[in-house]
Amino acid sequence: ATTSYGEIESCLLPHECVSARAAIEGTPRDIQTGGGIVAEARSIQPAKKLELSLQNATFRGAILDSQAATLHWIGPKSSDVVALARCNLQTGQTGQRLLPYASAQASLPVGMANDHAWLATDKRMLSFWNAAEGTVAAIGQTPGYIRAAALSADGGFAVVAVHDDQQDGAATDRLLQVAPSGQQLQLIGQLDQAQEMDALAISQNDKVVAVAAREGVWLINLDDPSHRIMLQSDPKRMPRDVNKLEFTADGQQLAAFWDNHALVWSTTTGEIQRHIACNSSVIGSISADGSKLATFLEDPSGPHRYCVAVWDAKTGHLLARLFGTESAPDKMRFTTDGTRLQALRHKEYFLWDLAE
């Protein structure tokens, strides 16, 4: 199949639903201790667990890198000063810079690129930081409440979904592309508009942005924003309140994670490749090569027992159960080679070795 996103030959899987309390290839099946794919999956304990040193700052959020080497987090030190910290995950040591920031209490991390550019947002303000120098590179007000934002892989621009209450009373979200220009943010253009944009993601080549909204999930070519591809949807598993979108490294697949569900599409054909209904997940991750999915799962092997589940994205089989966190992580991310999985729950960091 050929589109403006490139050419690919692929064999699409049927729309199976794989779940601890759902169906496998259309055949209902409960997974119980001692049998089924849960029993066959390996149980893995964390290879590393760290508690972040906050140094008198309040933790607001963090960014996981793709090598499990460093972790960056931010948090207000006072009402107008925010701490930007870098934690060496090998030693656990944290270095910290303090930045004057008008909305320190509300600032949230969005993304980091090239170990320098850092994007943060509060309710109506977007800021690009130079993490290496500990300075604010550019800052600017947005024309409405920020619902979602994503930073490009090279750190040169961001895409932001802004909620706009129009004069006629109809509420809509506008999708804007912005970039730092001197000390200010420059509006490159409006890409689209829709209702209730929940999540955004930009492909690694910075050519495509994925948008999750009330109408569904679609792709926009940043070189030609008029080119929009709506991804296949199913009324029985229509993404609602999507928590996260994530591209594979080659941009040929897109994963969406929302309450109890993970869905993977081919970005070339727009068709569903895999759907996993997992009974506790609101966050997850897809490996760079698209071979694995991670979700949070209520483990049927015991009451009130939870784990991070790693699935084979092609077959839907459960590969491993990762223990150590008793509640859903705030973030998950595979390392580039897919052999390790990272998770962050508030100020606790977990790393599992999937190759053990």
Side-chain angles (χ1 to χ4, degrees):
T2 304
T3 72
S4 62
Y5 301 108
E7 183 173 325
I8 185 173
E9 293 180 359
S10 63
C11 178
L12 294 177
L13 296 168
H15 305 166
E16 302 100 350
C17 178
V18 181
S19 169
R21 291 186 177 89
I24 300 178
E25 297 182 356
T27 303
R29 176 181 178 186
D30 289 331
I31 299 174
Q32 301 175 355
T33 306
I37 59 176
V38 166
E40 296 168 1
R42 295 177 297 149
S43 296
I44 302 176
Q45 296 295 327
K48 181 174 295 185
K49 180 179 178 180
L50 296 173
E51 185 166 341
L52 302 182
S53 173
L54 302 184
Q55 301 181 14
N56 298 320
T58 302
F59 183 82
R60 291 288 290 159
I63 303 297
L64 301 171
D65 78 0
S66 61
Q67 302 298 326
T70 58
L71 180 148
H72 290 81
W73 61 267
I74 65 172
K77 191 90 169 181
S78 64
S79 60
D80 57 357
V81 174
V82 67
L84 174 62
R86 176 190 178 105
C87 177
N88 184 320
L89 295 175
Q90 304 303 315
T91 65
Q93 294 181 335
T94 299
Q96 189 179 99
R97 294 180 182 272
L98 300 179
L99 285 74
Y101 194 61
S103 300
Q105 299 292 341
S107 59
L108 290 170
V110 173
M112 190 169 186
N114 300 325
D115 204 29
H116 292 286
W118 176 290
L119 182 68
T121 171
D122 67 13
K123 293 181 179 180
R124 291 179 178 267
M125 186 176 293
L126 202 64
S127 60
F128 283 78
W129 295 353
N130 186 319
E133 298 178 3
T135 59
V136 178
I139 193 167
Q141 294 281 346
T142 58
Y145 181 87
I146 298 172
R147 291 183 57 93
L151 180 67
S152 64
D154 66 3
F157 67 92
V159 175
V160 57
V162 176
H163 184 72
D164 184 16
D165 291 319
Q166 298 179 347
Q167 292 182 355
D168 60 4
T172 187
D173 294 345
R174 290 193 290 160
L175 191 65
L176 309 176
Q177 186 176 1
V178 298
S181 178
Q183 296 295 312
Q184 303 296 320
L185 290 182
Q186 178 184 359
L187 176 62
I188 298 177
Q190 178 170 315
L191 302 175
D192 208 347
Q193 65 180 34
Q195 289 188 325
E196 298 182 11
M197 295 184 184
D198 296 315
L200 305 172
I202 301 174
S203 62
Q204 287 293 306
N205 63 4
D206 292 340
K207 297 293 186 181
V208 181
V209 60
V211 182
R214 179 185 294 182
E215 295 94 325
V217 178
W218 65 89
L219 307 175
I220 297 175
N221 189 322
L222 290 171
D223 291 332
D224 179 13
S226 64
H227 188 104
R228 165 175 160 168
I229 294 179
M230 180 70 73
L231 300 182
Q232 183 182 29
S233 62
D234 185 323
K236 295 182 180 179
R237 46 180 176 261
M238 182 71 176
R240 296 292 187 187
D241 301 320
V242 172
N243 186 283
K244 179 182 178 181
L245 291 172
E246 186 175 12
F247 281 99
T248 53
D250 61 8
Q252 299 296 330
Q253 292 171 292
L254 177 73
F257 303 90
W258 72 102
D259 190 20
N260 298 337
H261 295 274
L263 199 62
V264 180
W265 292 273
S266 164
T267 58
T268 304
T269 66
E271 295 191 46
I272 298 171
Q273 291 185 321
R274 171 61 55 193
H275 171 240
I276 293 178
C278 40
N279 51 15
S280 292
S281 190
V282 293
I283 191 65
S285 184
I286 188 170
S287 60
D289 64 0
S291 65
K292 301 183 188 75
L293 285 168
T295 67
F296 190 64
L297 181 70
E298 182 179 353
D299 192 333
S301 65
H304 308 295
R305 193 180 190 200
Y306 299 90
C307 66
V308 174
V310 178
W311 308 83
D312 185 313
K314 292 184 178 179
T315 66
H317 290 164
L318 183 62
L319 300 175
R321 295 175 295 163
L322 314 181
F323 293 98
T325 176
E326 296 301 322
S327 59
D330 303 310
K331 293 179 182 291
M332 288 189 206
R333 186 173 186 180
F334 284 98
T335 53
T336 302
D337 60 6
T339 62
R340 292 175 292 172
L341 181 72
Q342 307 171 86
L344 188 71
R345 187 191 65 188
H346 189 44
K347 58 182 181 179
E348 289 184 309
Y349 171 84
F350 302 86
L351 177 68
W352 292 274
D353 188 349
L354 305 180
E356 68 178 24

